[in-house]
Amino acid sequence: MARISAGVTTSHVPAIGVALDLGKSDSDYWRPVFAGYEWSKKWIAETKPDVIVLVYNDHASAFSLELIPTFAIGCAERFAIADEGFGPRPVPEVVGCPDLAWHIAQSTILDEFDMTIVNKMDVDHGLTVPLSLLFGRPEAWPVKVIPIAVNVVQYPPPTGNRCYLLGQAIRRAVESFDEDLDVQVWGTGGMSHQLQGPRAGLINPEFDHEFLDRLVNDPESLRSLAHIEYLRESGSEGIEMVMWLIMRGALGADVNELHRFYHVPASNCAVGHLVLEPAANDSGGPS
Ligand code: DHB
Ligand code: FE
């Protein structure tokens, strides 16, 4: 059977992608950011997952205000790189895993989550920057990816609780797939940042550190964190962090923390990154 072997969270700051693509990752500004991912790059090169269920948000690249799915699962064979205004990033196309994606779609929908099934979806920095941070600049991504796009752009986004429950449903789906696959779940975006309005530039390390601690050790307490708290404490774009709860729900009650990194600032954003694995013998916790 397929199994979830690990979870990763990371910010997806677009300027990180630009720094990599233009060969500036060793500059004084960017070196400390990339240094925080060195451990993870080695770890993932050794663990070699087969598939990543990559939870991210589209930034008006594949979707627009004309169509706003709350949760969308990419079931295609491949996903093209979106043009975000300066041409697509020079990174490989993303190869999907249709069999498992359709199984997750079926399992979660019959589990009463209203997923939107997407068969054509260009993927933007929300998905490609996390891949670049963990895999660098390969000729082809060494892993299949199932994109799950979450609306955190247009009010109302899903609640943290709904995200956590979806993570648990994704775990049930993966564990009922009859193929021996090593699957990771990633939650991307965050941490504190606000790109607009009078509070543009807001960063709140105190909130971020507490969020990291609670995500690892007390995720139940984050299920009830209200949208207004994310907005007030972590800025308007800090709401991206609800996506981290999907990853966390998929890992089960107890986890081992393998790696943690936090750095400010990168562009307008606080960069946070975790690598977690389910604790041994964890059956997934209460559902
Ligand atoms: C920035 C961060 C984001 O998450 C994003 O989607 C766009 C910009 C930034 O820090 O500049
Ligand atoms: Fe973003």
Side-chain angles (χ1 to χ4, degrees):
M1 301 304 264
R3 68 204 171 279
I4 292 178
S5 60
V8 172
T9 65
T10 176
S11 311
H12 61 217
V13 185
I16 290 176
V18 177
L20 262 179
D21 300 342
L22 299 181
K24 295 192 172 161
S25 51
D26 202 30
S27 68
D28 288 348
Y29 184 85
W30 289 111
R31 198 180 310 112
V33 175
F34 290 102
Y37 289 82
E38 281 308 312
W39 184 92
S40 314
K41 287 175 78 172
K42 288 196 196 90
W43 166 80
I44 206 154
E46 282 161 17
T47 50
K48 293 193 181 66
D50 299 304
V51 186
I52 296 169
V53 175
L54 205 159
V55 180
Y56 77 110
N57 68 292
D58 176 74
H59 301 74
S61 304
F63 305 121
S64 70
L65 292 181
E66 291 179 2
L67 178 68
I68 309 170
T70 301
F71 298 117
I73 181 164
C75 295
E77 296 272 359
R78 41 193 26 92
F79 303 91
I81 307 304
D83 184 340
E84 300 183 56
F86 300 93
R89 287 190 62 209
V91 294
E93 69 170 359
V94 172
V95 174
C97 186
D99 287 355
L100 178 57
W102 276 102
H103 173 80
I104 294 174
Q106 171 178 308
S107 178
T108 52
I109 290 167
L110 298 183
D111 223 349
E112 303 183 345
F113 288 85
D114 304 313
M115 307 293 284
T116 299
I117 294 167
V118 187
N119 290 313
K120 183 174 187 305
M121 181 163 70
D122 293 356
V123 288
D124 70 12
H125 69 268
L127 184 136
T128 64
V129 166
L131 288 178
S132 297
L133 280 166
L134 274 285
F135 294 112
R137 304 177 73 191
E139 288 282 305
W141 301 118
V143 68
K144 293 178 175 174
V145 176
I146 298 175
I148 295 190
V150 179
N151 166 44
V152 290
V153 170
Q154 170 62 51
Y155 185 85
T159 63
N161 187 52
R162 189 71 175 151
C163 289
Y164 193 82
L165 293 171
L166 177 61
Q168 292 181 327
I170 289 171
R171 177 171 174 153
R172 287 192 288 274
V174 169
E175 291 183 344
S176 61
F177 188 63
D178 191 12
E179 207 179 307
D180 183 25
L181 292 177
D182 182 314
V183 180
Q184 293 185 2
V185 180
W186 291 13
T188 72
M191 296 191 82
S192 56
H193 64 304
Q194 171 144 347
L195 303 176
Q196 57 195 306
R199 297 204 307 162
L202 178 145
I203 286 180
N204 185 349
E206 205 182 329
F207 175 90
D208 291 339
H209 285 299
E210 189 187 328
F211 190 89
L212 289 167
D213 287 342
R214 287 168 70 184
L215 192 75
V216 176
N217 298 314
D218 187 17
E220 292 291 323
S221 75
L222 286 179
R223 292 171 66 165
S224 56
L225 191 69
H227 287 146
I228 193 72
E229 294 289 335
Y230 285 93
L231 296 190
R232 186 186 297 124
E233 298 298 328
S234 68
S236 50
E237 277 67 44
I239 192 66
E240 290 179 342
M241 278 183 275
V242 291
M243 297 185 288
W244 293 25
L245 290 176
I246 297 178
M247 179 286 300
R248 189 63 186 82
L251 289 195
D254 295 319
V255 294
N256 300 322
E257 179 178 332
L258 303 181
H259 181 62
R260 182 189 295 213
F261 174 61
Y262 184 79
H263 175 86
V264 285
S267 188
N268 306 290
C269 202
V271 169
H273 170 45
L274 286 171
V275 179
L276 307 176
E277 66 178 9
N281 304 320
D282 185 339
S283 62
S287 55

